[in-house]
């Protein structure tokens, strides 16, 4: 789960991480009022979307009058922002953040994530702040400094100093950096984060470090088991794929992809293998969909509806290994869905496991144009062939 910048900064403030003064606004009038309360003569109007690269895409504006604050806010609200991290449709802008203008002397990148290979939380820092860190990592990896935190000992002051020295900060700035990194680490642990970024962490003209931007990703498992109630309430489904949200409401694990072959599988590993075999035989999966090991007829029917609703889907492969779930129940769900939705694309079904004979018999006697498959390879070849025909 992702958070908006203004939400992430609210969390930062709870851990002593310094942030600029600012307010969220959902109308031009609110934006103007926020600028008046902040005072000064320069303000920053920032579109609030779940995507990076806002500045390059026109989602961050420098306003030098109250009229410009109003003008930029009106121009942004209600539109969609397309960045290098979104698809061609972009993300809806339903709010902006109005912040005080600042005298920026330096821009630094600072982030932390879970490194599963080393089983550590890893802090990353770079003097090339304000840039796409992926680009820096690809072209100038030597500019990225890493610090690995032992989960038993936690983040140590010497590691913060190590980062500060490598970034070329002054002793006074390193002291502030230590406060920021310690706060980020406490936040990371307390809030079950998978990633946190400040890009940029700025040094102002008066030698103060501030988190000019804030990005937080929260482990979805912590939301599902209700460990992070405050953060769960911050969820903005308007920033998420509508189909994925709909699928989650029915207990389905669904991810939209760019292909044209819809997949319905039980089990995440089998779903990934199914996509691999489809690609091996020249096809492109339109989605990842795991209906779960203990699914039921209703969930199968809903999954089928979600897949077939996509205009990009030109064929569907159902691949079920019946262990906990019975193949005859899956067959009933597929039949019900095909009849209800009126699917007009080829449907290939591969069943194996518990009650497989009954399941295959139900499909054969349904009177529907469903293509049976003997195994996964056979199913992939048949659906790719049907789509290509």
């Amino acid at each position: 789960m992702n958070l908006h910048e203004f939400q992430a900064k609210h969390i930062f403030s709870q851990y002593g991480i310094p942030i600029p003064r600012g307010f969220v606004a959902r109308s031009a009038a609110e934006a103007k009022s926020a600028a008046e309360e902040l005072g000064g003569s320069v303000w920053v109007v920032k579109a609030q979307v779940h995507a990076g690269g806002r500045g390059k895409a026109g989602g961050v504006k420098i306003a030098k009058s109250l009229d410009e604050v109003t003008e930029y806010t009106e121009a942004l609200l209600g539109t969609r922002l397309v960045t290098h991290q979104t698809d061609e449709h972009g993300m809806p802008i339903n709010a902006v953040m109005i912040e005080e203008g600042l005298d920026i002397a330096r821009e630094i990148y600072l982030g932390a994530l879970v490194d599963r290979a080393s089983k550590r939380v890893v802090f990353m820092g770079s003097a090339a702040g304000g840039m796409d860190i992926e680009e820096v990592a690809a072209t100038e990896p030597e500019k990225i400094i890493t610090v690995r935190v032992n989960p038993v000992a936690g983040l140590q002051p010497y590691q913060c100093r190590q980062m500060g020295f490598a970034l070329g900060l002054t002793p006074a700035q390193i002291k502030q950096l230590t406060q920021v990194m310690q706060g980020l680490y406490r936040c990371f642990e307390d809030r079950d984060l998978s990633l946190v970024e400040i890009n940029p962490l700025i040094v102002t003209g008066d030698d103060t470090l501030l988190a000019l931007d804030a990005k937080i990703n929260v482990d979805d498992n912590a939301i599902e088991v209700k460990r992070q109630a405050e953060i769960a309430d911050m969820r903005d489904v308007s920033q998420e794929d509508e189909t994925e949200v709909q699928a989650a409401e029915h207990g389905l694990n669904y991810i939209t992809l760019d292909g044209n072959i819809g997949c319905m599988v039980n089990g995440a590993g089998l779903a990934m293998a199914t996509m691999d075999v489809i690609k091996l035989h020249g096809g492109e999966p339109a989605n990842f969909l795991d209906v779960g090991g203990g699914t039921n007829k209703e969930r199968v029917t809903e999954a089928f509806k979600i897949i077939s609703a996509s205009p990009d889907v030109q064929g569907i492969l159902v691949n079920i290994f019946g262990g906990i779930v019975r193949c005859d129940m899956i067959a009933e769900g597929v039949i019900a869905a095909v009849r209800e939705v009126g699917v007009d694309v080829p449907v290939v079904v591969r069943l194996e496991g518990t009650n497989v004979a009954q399941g295959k018999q139900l499909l054969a006697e349904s009177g529907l144009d469903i293509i049976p498959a003997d195994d996964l390879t056979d199913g992939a070849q048949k659906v790719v062939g049907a789509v290509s025909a």
Side-chain angles (χ1 to χ4, degrees):
M1 175 179 161
N2 299 330
L3 296 184
H4 285 295
E5 176 192 359
F6 74 90
Q7 295 169 327
K9 285 181 174 175
H10 170 72
I11 299 295
F12 278 5
S13 67
Q14 297 174 2
Y15 291 87
I17 301 168
I19 58 175
R21 294 186 303 128
F23 300 94
V24 65
R26 293 178 173 82
S27 70
E30 288 183 4
K32 182 179 179 181
S33 177
E36 290 174 337
E37 185 166 346
L38 288 170
S41 57
V42 178
W43 304 270
V44 185
V45 182
K46 308 168 81 173
Q48 297 300 286
V49 295
H50 287 179
R54 292 175 299 168
K56 293 180 180 178
V60 179
K61 304 288 188 181
I62 306 298
K64 297 182 179 180
S65 70
L66 293 176
D67 287 341
E68 286 189 350
V69 170
T70 300
E71 176 188 343
Y72 294 150
T73 301
E74 289 177 340
L76 289 171
L77 289 177
T79 65
R80 301 183 72 91
L81 187 68
V82 178
T83 80
H84 70 280
Q85 292 187 3
T86 72
D87 60 20
E88 66 275 15
H89 303 296
M91 294 286 191
I93 304 174
N94 300 318
V96 296
M97 192 168 189
I98 310 300
E99 283 190 339
E100 60 182 336
L102 295 167
D103 176 18
I104 301 174
R106 280 195 65 185
E107 295 187 355
I108 298 166
Y109 171 88
L110 183 65
L113 52 75
V114 176
D115 178 18
R116 299 189 185 282
S118 64
K119 301 178 182 178
R120 298 286 189 270
V121 172
V122 176
F123 274 87
M124 299 177 296
S126 175
M131 297 178 60
D132 297 329
I133 195 63
E134 296 84 1
E135 181 181 338
V136 176
T139 60
E140 300 175 289
E142 70 280 359
K143 289 188 176 181
I144 298 180
I145 302 100
T146 59
V147 170
R148 287 175 167 78
V149 182
N150 186 309
V152 176
L155 179 65
Q156 298 297 303
Y158 82 87
Q159 293 178 303
C160 302
R161 293 193 293 272
Q162 176 186 343
M163 178 70 76
F165 292 141
L167 293 173
L169 299 179
T170 67
Q173 293 166 356
I174 291 175
K175 184 177 181 180
Q176 295 179 67
L177 179 69
T178 300
Q179 175 188 342
V180 171
M181 290 181 65
Q182 294 285 3
L184 283 180
Y185 187 69
R186 292 196 307 274
C187 179
F188 202 99
E189 288 203 315
D190 292 351
R191 300 297 184 144
D192 295 308
L193 307 187
S194 56
L195 179 144
V196 60
E197 285 185 334
I198 303 175
N199 190 23
L201 174 68
I202 64 167
V203 180
T204 66
D206 61 0
D207 223 28
T208 300
L209 268 63
L210 291 174
L212 193 62
D213 196 8
K215 179 178 180 180
I216 282 179
N217 291 356
V218 187
D219 189 328
D220 287 336
N221 293 299
I223 303 299
E224 291 174 7
V225 299
K226 300 181 180 179
R227 280 171 54 103
Q228 299 294 340
E230 180 188 6
I231 289 180
D233 290 340
M234 295 179 179
R235 184 182 181 190
D236 183 355
V237 295
S238 73
Q239 301 290 311
E240 301 176 24
D241 184 285
E242 184 178 347
T243 305
E244 293 177 14
V245 173
Q246 179 186 353
E249 292 175 352
H250 294 277
L252 302 169
N253 296 311
Y254 179 97
I255 298 174
T256 301
L257 301 175
D258 296 330
N260 59 359
I261 297 176
C263 306
M264 186 176 77
V265 191
N266 65 322
L270 185 58
M272 295 176 70
T274 300
M275 294 189 296
D276 286 344
V277 176
I278 288 173
K279 289 183 71 68
L280 178 65
H281 292 284
E284 290 294 335
N287 65 273
F288 167 98
L289 175 56
D290 170 18
V291 296
T295 190
N296 53 40
K297 175 182 174 182
E298 290 71 24
R299 188 181 295 179
V300 170
T301 304
E302 193 61 39
F304 215 92
K305 290 179 184 177
I306 290 172
I307 294 173
S308 58
S310 170
D312 298 326
V313 171
Q314 299 174 13
I316 299 174
L317 174 60
V318 179
N319 183 27
I320 299 295
F321 183 84
I324 300 174
V325 62
R326 303 192 329 264
C327 291
D328 57 325
M329 185 198 68
I330 295 294
E332 290 175 355
V334 171
I335 292 168
V338 171
R339 285 176 174 164
E340 184 175 342
V341 177
V343 179
D344 56 0
V345 299
V347 177
V348 179
V349 179
R350 179 258 184 166
L351 300 176
E352 191 58 70
T354 306
N355 289 359
V356 63
Q358 295 94 315
K360 289 182 176 180
Q361 183 178 356
L362 286 170
L363 292 175
E365 296 175 352
S366 67
L368 300 173
D369 188 17
I370 295 175
I371 305 169
D374 296 327
D375 53 39
L376 176 52
T377 297
D378 184 43
Q381 290 174 335
K382 284 179 176 177
V383 75
V384 171
V387 167
S388 303

